[in-house]
Amino acid sequence: MNHKAGYINIIGRPNVGKSTLMNQLVGEKISIITSKAQTTRHRILGIVNGDDFQMVFSDTPGIIKDPAYKMHEIMNQFVNVALIDADLILFVVDITDKKIEENTVEKLKATDIPVFVLINKIDLADQKGVEEAVGYWEKTLPNATVFPISAQHNANIQYVFQQVLTMLPECPPYFPKDELTDKSMRFFVTEIIREKILLNYQQEIPYSVQVEVESYEETGKHIHIRSVIYVARESQKAIIIGKGGAAIKRLGMQARADIEEFTGKKIFLELFVKVDKDWRDNEAELKRFGYEA
């Protein structure tokens, strides 16, 4: 029996639903999801295995047109790499967002890699709007195949999955067949905590924050985790902690519940907040936090 395997890289502007799509395709919550832009900061792999195939989906950060920090530049590098090392590119666009990243479109026109354009959030448009969007993208990227979908409502996702399967080259698996992702448990703990920060805090706070797991000790049915939340200013530290520590307590309770569900074990979670003014522009700090293309 011939085996098929390939890398399927998911790209698109921030907030177009890439992470929701990734989780639907993989069948597990691999990427965190919020309504805020720039939720995904790293390139995350989600691996789907069948008896005769392995799909390696790659969720990349949203394409940032005007990077403000070194961190943004590295996030864009993740996207650039995704445009050259894939067997198939899934270019996700939002049917409600008319803004187009022209530079990316030009690169997709020039690539020899097969491209699927996935028009997401079709549940927010009428039939005429969907038909117009499909026509626009068929004209804009004539070498691509266009699919209207709703990742949130799982509409047309299984059909796209089957079409992806037909595009895989014959190849042995890249990863052991029991692996779901290339990321460690520590990484997912930091992502769960960061997701709760995105959901609980407003304005610049979520974008100024980096989470690091300082210690992760597993003993029997328990896991003891000590994690540090880095912020850019003292005023942000005060907001994260909240009056009498109420905000960080709520954050910790929500994160602990999700980590327990993710690991299946009892979690003891300690959260601390530190100020690291220039972490988004400090190459050494960024490397320590895993920002390497």
Side-chain angles (χ1 to χ4, degrees), residues 4-290:
K4 303 171 76 174
Y7 276 84
I8 303 97
N9 294 345
I10 306 172
I11 67 170
R13 285 169 45 81
N15 218 20
V16 295
K18 295 185 295 83
S19 296
T20 304
L21 173 67
M22 167 84 153
N23 293 340
Q24 292 281 25
L25 289 167
V26 176
E28 298 283 349
K29 187 175 180 181
I30 298 294
S31 293
I32 65 174
I33 302 167
T34 78
S35 60
K36 293 183 171 69
Q38 297 178 34
T39 296
T40 302
R41 287 182 177 174
H42 297 269
R43 190 180 184 189
I44 303 169
L45 301 188
I47 305 166
V48 180
N49 290 293
D51 291 339
D52 60 349
F53 72 86
Q54 182 177 84
M55 297 181 182
V56 185
F57 290 100
S58 171
D59 185 16
T60 58
I63 301 161
I64 301 171
K65 186 174 182 179
D66 299 305
Y69 300 99
K70 184 70 175 177
M71 178 186 73
H72 292 157
E73 294 175 11
I74 295 173
M75 287 164 62
N76 277 347
Q77 288 178 34
F78 291 143
V79 180
N80 292 333
V81 171
L83 284 166
I84 60 175
D85 74 348
D87 294 292
L88 173 66
I89 294 171
L90 304 184
F91 180 44
V92 186
V93 298
D94 183 340
I95 198 167
T96 68
D97 185 358
K98 303 304 181 183
K99 296 178 182 177
I100 305 301
E101 182 52 56
E102 296 291 348
N103 186 44
T104 303
V105 170
E106 290 305 312
K107 289 179 179 178
L108 291 175
K109 286 180 179 178
T111 187
D112 293 328
I113 300 170
V115 177
F116 286 179
V117 176
L118 305 185
I119 305 172
N120 195 20
K121 305 182 185 180
I122 59 170
D123 51 296
L124 302 179
D126 58 21
Q127 183 64 31
K128 182 180 178 183
V130 173
E131 291 174 357
E132 288 177 349
V134 170
Y136 171 83
W137 283 107
E138 286 179 340
K139 182 179 179 180
T140 302
L141 290 173
N143 293 329
T145 307
V146 181
F147 300 92
I149 66 165
S150 173
Q152 183 176 356
H153 297 284
N154 204 20
N156 228 14
I157 302 301
Q158 282 306 306
Y159 180 73
V160 170
F161 184 95
Q162 291 301 320
Q163 296 307 304
V164 169
L165 185 57
T166 67
M167 303 296 291
L168 297 182
E170 289 191 10
C171 180
Y174 292 101
F175 296 91
K177 283 290 197 137
D178 58 350
E179 286 195 13
L180 179 64
T181 181
D182 64 326
K183 298 296 185 184
S184 68
M185 191 63 73
R186 282 177 175 243
F187 173 82
F188 286 106
V189 168
T190 66
E191 287 292 273
I192 289 170
I193 295 170
R194 195 167 63 83
E195 178 186 54
K196 303 312 173 191
I197 293 170
L198 282 158
L199 293 172
N200 280 280
Y201 299 91
Q202 303 300 319
Q203 297 175 342
E204 86 282 0
I205 294 294
Y207 307 105
S208 305
V209 163
Q210 175 62 40
V211 181
E212 182 180 37
V213 173
E214 280 197 340
S215 65
Y216 184 99
E217 298 178 3
E218 197 164 349
T219 55
K221 296 181 180 180
H222 302 86
I223 303 174
H224 295 256
I225 300 169
R226 175 188 170 97
S227 185
V228 177
I229 300 168
Y230 291 95
V231 294
R233 297 196 299 272
E234 286 288 346
S235 60
Q236 294 168 347
K237 178 178 179 180
I239 293 170
I240 291 286
I241 294 172
K243 187 176 180 180
I248 197 170
K249 182 179 180 181
R250 180 175 63 250
L251 169 65
M253 290 174 63
Q254 293 175 1
R256 185 173 67 248
D258 275 19
I259 298 168
E260 286 181 343
E261 182 179 354
F262 192 79
T263 62
K265 294 194 174 187
K266 178 71 174 177
I267 300 296
F268 296 94
L269 177 64
E270 293 181 278
L271 293 178
F272 301 88
V273 187
K274 296 182 180 180
V275 177
D276 187 348
K277 181 181 177 182
D278 298 317
W279 74 264
R280 287 174 291 186
D281 275 320
N282 185 311
E283 290 194 22
E285 290 285 82
L286 289 169
K287 186 175 181 179
R288 182 163 68 89
F289 294 142

